[in-house]
Amino acid sequence: MKIDATKNIRPVFSGHETFPMRYGWLKKVYDACIDIERKNGSISKDLFNNIEAIAILGVGKNMVSSMRHWALYSGLLNKDLTINPYARKIFADSGFDPWMENYATLWLIHWNLATNPNLFTYFHVFNCLNVLNFDKETLAASIIEALKEENYPDVSPQTLKRDIECFIAMYSSRMLKEKVNEESFESPLTELGLIGPITRRDLFQLKYGIKSTLSFNTFIFGLLSFWRQYSPNSKSLSLEAICYEKKSPGRIFLINENAVGEYIQNLSEDTNGLLEWSETAGLKQILLKKNIDFEEEAFRFFERNYND
């Protein structure tokens, strides 16, 4: 479930039809795509082009579009709507975590969303926003300014408003309505505790600090994934880069220097000598002690979440 979105950036603010991802959606899409494969060998796009998709997925027309959107940006499906090979490992009936009961799966989905520059609101909040508290209006103004700085096309105020509302519903837990209906269901990503409402109405906070559900193995997955893109030919990576650079584990997981310190206390031992913490001449950094394939090694650590 890796997305390579480093080229041909095209900011996306729609496609979700205002629905945040729901529990069971990815498994439902996966199973429907597998069923199509078994019947006629077609690729997954045939599911979404099928007039019977509403019946197959058991949701309304707009939700079909939303399920397609989240299946694509979560990493379940590739750009051509074929099933991502790693997604097969997770969502198969006998896979690692078909019903997303392991927090590692949620962190992986979040990683794919927040490191994808095409998903502009998500990328902006987790990589570029340098304030802890924000409301919908100030976030919208910040995104519009960022679009101008990058010379990207403008986005309509209404489209941006809906995208921000969907983003907040994706991550920020809220009190459920007394009447239980489809609108009262929360996104599974609210369980990560990354964004939450604070005292003032419509004010939200990025929750930096130690994450009890973020395992050491998931942290190393993020570290090596970041290293691969940021400085693949370097044998060292500074603490500053790990915490503050775009697409870094510090940014994406909202963990500060103190929290990173918790993960690297016994780094050499916990990685069997692959990585080592160094603090000499005031330079704090992680050293890579062996030659590796960063992507392969990152997923090797990640899979430990399901085997330990």
Side-chain angles (χ1 to χ4, degrees):
M1 286 174 67
K2 178 185 75 70
I3 296 176
D4 188 356
T6 57
K7 299 179 180 178
N8 302 319
I9 296 173
R10 183 179 64 86
V12 171
F13 296 96
S14 59
H16 46 70
E17 304 296 331
T18 74
F19 296 111
M21 186 174 63
R22 307 287 171 84
Y23 283 98
W25 275 12
L26 296 185
K27 175 61 173 169
K28 190 174 288 188
V29 169
Y30 176 83
D31 286 346
C33 291
I34 289 295
D35 192 49
I36 289 173
E37 277 189 0
R38 288 170 179 163
K39 287 180 178 177
N40 52 28
S42 300
I43 62 175
S44 305
K45 69 180 181 181
D46 291 337
L47 167 65
F48 302 104
N49 293 334
N50 192 333
I51 59 173
E52 297 179 356
I54 292 174
I56 293 171
L57 295 174
V59 296
K61 182 179 178 181
N62 287 349
M63 280 195 177
V64 169
S65 297
S66 184
M67 291 172 79
R68 178 189 184 277
H69 178 87
W70 296 123
L72 179 63
Y73 287 104
S74 69
L76 172 66
L77 301 179
N78 298 315
K79 289 181 180 179
D80 62 358
L81 298 183
T82 55
I83 302 173
N84 186 303
Y86 200 80
R88 294 178 188 269
K89 289 188 174 184
I90 294 177
F91 289 100
D93 287 342
S94 58
F96 292 141
D97 188 26
W99 299 106
M100 299 196 307
E101 296 170 318
N102 191 314
Y103 280 108
T105 306
L106 301 183
W107 282 112
L108 178 60
I109 291 169
H110 165 67
W111 182 271
N112 283 335
L113 298 178
T115 58
N116 189 335
N118 291 312
L119 213 56
F120 201 85
T121 296
Y122 295 70
F123 187 85
H124 182 75
V125 171
F126 289 105
N127 293 276
C128 308
L129 199 63
N130 292 317
V131 297
L132 290 179
N133 303 332
F134 64 90
D135 59 26
K136 296 174 185 177
E137 291 72 25
T138 56
L139 177 56
S142 179
I143 290 171
I144 290 169
E145 184 62 29
L147 288 170
K148 290 179 180 177
E149 289 178 359
E150 298 291 339
N151 293 315
Y152 290 136
D154 293 336
V155 57
S156 76
Q158 276 302 110
T159 298
L160 181 56
K161 179 176 181 291
R162 287 192 292 267
D163 193 48
I164 289 173
E165 288 174 347
C166 184
F167 167 78
I168 289 172
M170 191 81 152
Y171 284 99
S172 179
S173 183
R174 64 188 187 280
M175 294 296 292
L176 295 180
K177 299 176 182 178
E178 290 184 11
K179 181 180 178 182
V180 177
N181 55 38
E182 188 70 19
E183 292 302 313
S184 69
F185 299 151
E186 292 192 339
S187 158
L189 298 190
T190 61
E191 293 192 41
L192 301 182
L194 293 169
I195 297 175
I198 54 179
T199 307
R200 204 192 87 193
R201 179 178 173 81
D202 293 331
L203 190 64
F204 299 90
Q205 181 181 59
L206 295 177
K207 296 184 175 181
Y208 274 88
I210 295 171
K211 303 293 186 296
S212 61
T213 62
L214 181 68
S215 71
F216 171 80
N217 291 319
T218 302
F219 169 77
I220 297 297
F221 160 81
L223 175 70
L224 295 178
S225 297
F226 167 64
W227 204 324
R228 170 178 171 265
Q229 291 196 36
Y230 181 71
S231 187
N233 297 318
S234 176
K235 292 295 185 181
S236 64
L237 196 62
S238 70
L239 178 63
E240 183 177 7
I242 293 167
C243 292
Y244 303 112
E245 287 291 338
K246 292 178 181 178
K247 300 185 181 182
S248 67
R251 282 283 197 173
I252 303 303
F253 297 142
L254 296 187
I255 49 178
N256 51 28
E257 292 187 19
N258 290 336
V260 170
E262 293 291 321
Y263 288 103
I264 61 177
Q265 293 182 80
N266 304 302
L267 188 62
S268 181
E269 180 182 345
D270 292 340
T271 62
N272 293 318
L274 175 66
L275 301 172
E276 183 179 288
W277 173 248
S278 173
E279 191 171 348
T280 57
L283 184 61
K284 300 177 180 180
Q285 58 187 352
I286 290 178
L287 306 179
L288 179 64
K289 308 301 287 185
K290 302 174 185 178
N291 294 323
I292 60 170
D293 179 311
F294 280 100
E295 183 180 352
E296 181 180 301
E297 198 68 24
F299 277 99
R300 187 175 71 83
F301 273 97
F302 185 77
E303 287 186 19
R304 290 182 180 179
N305 286 301
Y306 305 112
N307 299 322
D308 290 352

